[in-house]
Coordinates of all heavy atoms in Angstrom, one line a residue:
Y1 N -0.5 67.5 63.2 CA -1.5 68.6 63.1 C -2.4 68.7 64.3 O -2.6 69.8 64.8 CB -2.3 68.4 61.8 CG -3.3 69.5 61.5 CD1 -2.9 70.6 60.8 CD2 -4.6 69.3 61.9 CE1 -3.9 71.6 60.6 CE2 -5.6 70.3 61.6 CZ -5.2 71.4 61.0 OH -6.1 72.4 60.7
I2 N -2.9 67.5 64.7 CA -3.9 67.6 65.8 C -3.2 67.9 67.1 O -3.7 68.7 68.0 CB -4.6 66.2 66.0 CG1 -5.5 65.9 64.8 CG2 -5.3 66.1 67.3 CD1 -6.6 66.9 64.6
I3 N -1.9 67.4 67.3 CA -1.2 67.8 68.6 C -0.9 69.3 68.6 O -1.0 69.9 69.6 CB 0.1 67.0 68.7 CG1 -0.2 65.5 69.0 CG2 1.0 67.6 69.7 CD1 1.0 64.6 69.2
E4 N -0.6 69.8 67.4 CA -0.3 71.3 67.4 C -1.6 72.1 67.7 O -1.5 73.1 68.4 CB 0.2 71.6 66.0 CG 0.7 73.1 65.8 CD 1.7 73.5 66.8 OE1 2.6 72.7 67.2 OE2 1.7 74.7 67.3
K5 N -2.7 71.6 67.1 CA -3.9 72.3 67.4 C -4.4 72.2 68.9 O -5.1 73.1 69.4 CB -5.0 71.7 66.5 CG -4.9 72.1 65.1 CD -5.3 73.6 64.8 CE -5.3 74.0 63.4 NZ -5.6 75.4 63.2
S6 N -3.9 71.2 69.5 CA -4.3 70.9 70.9 C -3.2 71.3 71.9 O -3.4 71.1 73.1 CB -4.6 69.4 71.1 OG -5.5 68.9 70.2
R7 N -2.2 71.9 71.4 CA -1.0 72.1 72.2 C -1.2 72.9 73.5 O -0.8 72.5 74.6 CB 0.1 72.8 71.4 CG 1.4 72.9 72.1 CD 2.5 73.4 71.2 NE 2.7 72.5 70.1 CZ 3.4 71.3 70.2 NH1 3.9 70.9 71.3 NH2 3.5 70.6 69.1
N8 N -2.0 74.0 73.4 CA -2.2 74.8 74.6 C -2.9 74.0 75.7 O -2.5 74.1 76.9 CB -3.0 76.0 74.2 CG -2.2 77.0 73.4 OD1 -0.9 77.0 73.5 ND2 -2.8 77.9 72.7
D9 N -4.0 73.3 75.4 CA -4.8 72.6 76.3 C -4.0 71.4 76.9 O -4.0 71.1 78.1 CB -6.1 72.0 75.7 CG -7.1 73.1 75.4 OD1 -7.0 74.2 76.1 OD2 -7.9 72.9 74.5
L10 N -3.2 70.8 76.1 CA -2.4 69.7 76.6 C -1.2 70.2 77.5 O -0.9 69.5 78.5 CB -1.8 68.9 75.4 CG -2.8 68.1 74.5 CD1 -2.1 67.5 73.3 CD2 -3.5 67.1 75.3
Q11 N -0.7 71.3 77.2 CA 0.4 71.9 78.0 C -0.2 72.2 79.4 O 0.5 72.0 80.4 CB 0.9 73.2 77.3 CG 2.1 73.8 78.1 CD 3.3 72.9 78.2 OE1 3.6 72.1 77.3 NE2 4.0 72.9 79.3
K12 N -1.4 72.8 79.4 CA -2.0 73.1 80.7 C -2.2 71.8 81.6 O -1.9 71.8 82.8 CB -3.3 73.8 80.5 CG -3.2 75.2 79.9 CD -4.5 75.9 79.7 CE -4.4 77.2 79.1 NZ -5.7 77.8 78.7
L13 N -2.6 70.8 80.9 CA -2.8 69.5 81.6 C -1.5 69.0 82.1 O -1.4 68.4 83.3 CB -3.5 68.5 80.7 CG -5.0 68.7 80.5 CD1 -5.5 67.7 79.5 CD2 -5.8 68.5 81.8
S14 N -0.5 69.1 81.3 CA 0.8 68.6 81.7 C 1.4 69.3 82.9 O 1.9 68.7 83.9 CB 1.8 68.7 80.5 OG 3.1 68.2 80.9
E15 N 1.2 70.6 82.9 CA 1.7 71.4 84.0 C 0.9 71.1 85.3 O 1.4 71.0 86.4 CB 1.5 72.9 83.7 CG 2.5 73.4 82.6 CD 2.2 74.8 82.1 OE1 1.2 75.4 82.6 OE2 2.9 75.3 81.3
S16 N -0.4 70.9 85.1 CA -1.3 70.6 86.3 C -0.9 69.2 86.9 O -1.1 69.0 88.1 CB -2.8 70.5 85.8 OG -3.6 70.2 86.9
S17 N -0.4 68.3 86.0 CA 0.0 67.0 86.5 C 1.3 66.9 87.1 O 1.8 65.9 87.6 CB -0.1 66.0 85.3 OG 1.1 66.2 84.5
G18 N 2.0 68.1 87.2 CA 3.4 68.1 87.7 C 4.4 67.7 86.7 O 5.5 67.2 87.0
G19 N 4.0 67.7 85.4 CA 4.9 67.3 84.3 C 4.9 65.8 84.0 O 5.7 65.4 83.2
V20 N 4.0 65.1 84.7 CA 4.0 63.7 84.5 C 3.3 63.3 83.2 O 3.8 62.4 82.4 CB 3.2 63.0 85.7 CG1 2.9 61.5 85.3 CG2 4.0 63.1 86.9
L21 N 2.3 64.0 82.8 CA 1.6 63.8 81.6 C 2.4 64.2 80.4 O 2.9 65.3 80.3 CB 0.2 64.6 81.5 CG -0.6 64.5 80.2 CD1 -1.2 63.1 80.1 CD2 -1.6 65.5 80.2
K22 N 2.5 63.3 79.4 CA 3.2 63.5 78.1 C 2.4 63.0 77.0 O 1.7 61.9 77.1 CB 4.6 62.9 78.1 CG 5.5 63.4 79.2 CD 6.9 62.7 79.1 CE 7.8 63.2 80.2 NZ 9.1 62.5 80.1
V23 N 2.3 63.8 75.9 CA 1.6 63.3 74.7 C 2.7 63.4 73.5 O 3.2 64.5 73.2 CB 0.4 64.2 74.4 CG1 -0.3 63.7 73.1 CG2 -0.5 64.2 75.5
D24 N 3.0 62.3 73.0 CA 4.0 62.2 72.0 C 3.5 61.8 70.6 O 2.5 61.0 70.5 CB 5.1 61.2 72.4 CG 5.8 61.6 73.7 OD1 6.2 62.8 73.7 OD2 6.0 60.8 74.6
E25 N 4.2 62.2 69.6 CA 4.0 61.7 68.2 C 5.1 60.7 67.9 O 6.2 61.1 67.7 CB 4.0 62.9 67.2 CG 5.1 63.9 67.3 CD 5.1 64.9 66.2 OE1 5.6 64.6 65.1 OE2 4.6 66.0 66.5
L26 N 4.8 59.5 68.0 CA 5.8 58.4 67.8 C 5.6 57.6 66.5 O 5.7 56.4 66.4 CB 5.6 57.4 69.0 CG 5.8 58.0 70.4 CD1 5.5 56.9 71.5 CD2 7.1 58.6 70.6
I27 N 5.4 58.4 65.5 CA 5.2 57.8 64.2 C 6.5 57.5 63.4 O 7.2 58.4 63.1 CB 4.3 58.7 63.3 CG1 3.0 59.1 64.0 CG2 3.9 58.0 62.0 CD1 2.1 57.9 64.4
D28 N 6.8 56.2 63.2 CA 7.9 55.9 62.4 C 7.6 54.5 61.8 O 6.7 53.8 62.2 CB 9.3 55.9 63.1 CG 9.3 55.0 64.3 OD1 9.1 53.8 64.2 OD2 9.6 55.5 65.4
S29 N 8.4 54.1 60.8 CA 8.1 52.9 60.0 C 8.0 51.6 60.8 O 7.2 50.7 60.5 CB 9.0 52.8 58.9 OG 10.4 52.6 59.3
K30 N 8.8 51.4 61.8 CA 8.9 50.2 62.6 C 8.2 50.3 64.0 O 8.4 49.4 64.8 CB 10.4 49.8 62.8 CG 11.2 49.6 61.5 CD 10.6 48.5 60.6 CE 11.6 48.1 59.5 NZ 12.0 49.3 58.6
R31 N 7.5 51.3 64.2 CA 6.9 51.6 65.5 C 5.9 50.4 65.9 O 5.1 50.0 65.1 CB 6.1 52.9 65.5 CG 5.4 53.2 66.8 CD 6.3 53.4 68.0 NE 7.3 54.4 67.7 CZ 8.3 54.7 68.6 NH1 8.4 54.1 69.7 NH2 9.2 55.7 68.2
I32 N 6.1 50.0 67.1 CA 5.2 49.0 67.7 C 4.4 49.6 68.8 O 4.8 50.5 69.5 CB 5.9 47.7 68.2 CG1 6.9 48.0 69.3 CG2 6.6 47.0 67.0 CD1 7.6 46.8 69.9
F33 N 3.1 49.1 69.0 CA 2.3 49.5 70.1 C 1.6 48.3 70.7 O 1.5 47.2 70.1 CB 1.4 50.7 69.8 CG 0.5 50.5 68.6 CD1 0.2 49.3 68.0 CD2 0.0 51.6 67.9 CE1 -0.6 49.1 66.9 CE2 -0.9 51.5 66.8 CZ -1.2 50.2 66.3
T34 N 0.9 48.5 71.8 CA 0.3 47.4 72.5 C -0.9 46.8 71.8 O -1.7 47.6 71.3 CB -0.1 47.8 73.9 OG1 1.0 48.5 74.6 CG2 -0.5 46.6 74.8
A35 N -1.0 45.5 71.7 CA -2.2 44.9 71.1 C -3.3 44.8 72.1 O -3.1 44.8 73.3 CB -1.8 43.4 70.7
P36 N -4.6 44.9 71.6 CA -5.7 44.8 72.5 C -5.7 43.6 73.4 O -5.3 42.5 72.9 CB -6.9 44.8 71.6 CG -6.4 45.5 70.3 CD -5.0 45.1 70.2
L37 N -6.0 43.7 74.7 CA -6.1 42.6 75.7 C -4.7 42.0 76.0 O -4.7 41.0 76.7 CB -7.1 41.6 75.2 CG -8.5 42.0 75.2 CD1 -9.4 40.9 74.8 CD2 -9.0 42.7 76.5

C-alpha cells in the first residue's frame, strides 16, 4: 500500500538516479534481512 501511494515520487527518483535506485517489496515467509551492526 505504501509503495503504491509513493510510486510517483519513487519513480522520479529512480529516473534521476539513472535507474540505479530500486524500491522492492520483498515480503515472503522465509525472507532474511541484515541484522543490526
Side-chain angles (χ1 to χ4, degrees):
Y1 181 86
I2 293 297
I3 287 181
E4 184 59 35
K5 287 290 184 180
S6 309
R7 187 171 300 282
N8 289 340
D9 290 337
L10 294 175
Q11 183 62 38
K12 290 177 182 177
L13 283 174
S14 179
E15 292 172 358
S16 179
S17 74
V20 170
L21 176 72
K22 296 180 181 179
V23 182
D24 294 316
E25 47 176 279
L26 301 178
I27 308 298
D28 58 58
S29 60
K30 303 297 191 303
R31 176 64 55 182
I32 58 175
F33 52 21
T34 311
L37 295 184

